[in-house]
Amino acid sequence: MLITVAAVGRAKHKPEAALIAHYLKVTRWDITIKEIPDAPSNLSAEARCAREAEAIGKLLTPTSRLFVMDSTGKSITSEAFAGLIQTAQKNAIKHVVFAIGGQDGLAPELIKRAHAVIAFGAATWPHQLLRAMLMEQLYRAYTITIGHPYHTGH
C-alpha cells in the first residue's frame, strides 16, 4: 500500500524536516510526501482552499482512501490511528492519502470526501510541525502493526 502525505506548502524549517526524514527512514511502509504549492496570496481564502483541494484531489483515484488532518476532526488514540491503516490494508486499499491544508485549512468539499477527519487535539498546530507529528504517528502505527515495542514504551 502506498501512503501519500499531501501537504500544502514547502518544508522550510530544518529541525522539522530532519524529524520527518528520520521517520520516513525508519518506517518500512511506502510513504511519500507530496508538497502542494500554496495558492497565490492575492486570492480569497476560499479560492486558495479550492485551488489547493483541486491539487490534492488529483492525487486521488476512485479507490484511494482519503484522511484529512483538520482541527475540526476527531481526536483518536494511536491505536485507533493504526486501526485506520490496518483496516485499509485488510480491505486491499492500494493508496491512502493524508491531507494537510495550508494557512486557510482545507476546502469543505475535500473534508466531505474524506473517509476520516483527524485532529491531533483541539489546538491549532503549525503545518510543518503537524507534518512531523503525522510522520511520527505513521511510524507509531507501523510499530503497532508489527508488534514492535516502540509504542508500549511510552
Side-chain angles (χ1 to χ4, degrees), residues 70-85:
D70 190 84
S71 61
T72 65
K74 182 179 178 184
S75 293
I76 59 176
T77 65
S78 295
E79 292 87 352
F81 184 84
L84 291 173
I85 296 169

Side-chain angles (χ1 to χ4, degrees), residues 19-142:
L19 194 55
I20 291 165
H22 166 73
Y23 286 119
L24 277 172
K25 182 179 177 182
V26 297
T27 306
R28 300 291 181 233
W29 285 336
D30 187 4
I31 302 173
T32 61
I33 297 178
K34 174 68 176 160
E35 292 186 335
I36 306 298
D38 290 302
S41 60
N42 63 339
L43 297 176
S44 69
E46 185 178 289
R48 282 193 302 271
C49 284
R51 185 176 286 189
E52 293 161 359
E54 181 181 341
I56 292 169
K58 288 180 181 177
L59 301 174
L60 302 170
T61 68
T63 59
S64 296
R65 185 143 303 167
L66 173 64
F67 301 119
V68 298
M69 308 303 298
D70 190 84
S71 61
T72 65
K74 182 179 178 184
S75 293
I76 59 176
T77 65
S78 295
E79 292 87 352
F81 184 84
L84 291 173
I85 296 169
Q86 288 173 318
T87 299
Q89 289 172 326
K90 288 177 186 171
N91 291 326
I93 301 297
K94 296 193 182 333
H95 187 218
V96 171
V97 176
F98 287 90
I100 300 172
Q103 66 181 1
D104 302 304
L106 292 164
E109 300 80 35
L110 189 67
I111 293 172
K112 287 178 189 169
R113 289 178 63 185
H115 292 86
V117 182
I118 303 165
F120 285 163
T124 300
W125 297 100
H127 297 106
Q128 301 305 324
L129 187 54
L130 184 63
R131 285 187 202 192
M133 292 166 60
L134 176 58
M135 289 306 305
E136 190 282 336
Q137 283 300 293
L138 286 168
Y139 174 67
R140 187 173 295 275
Y142 167 73

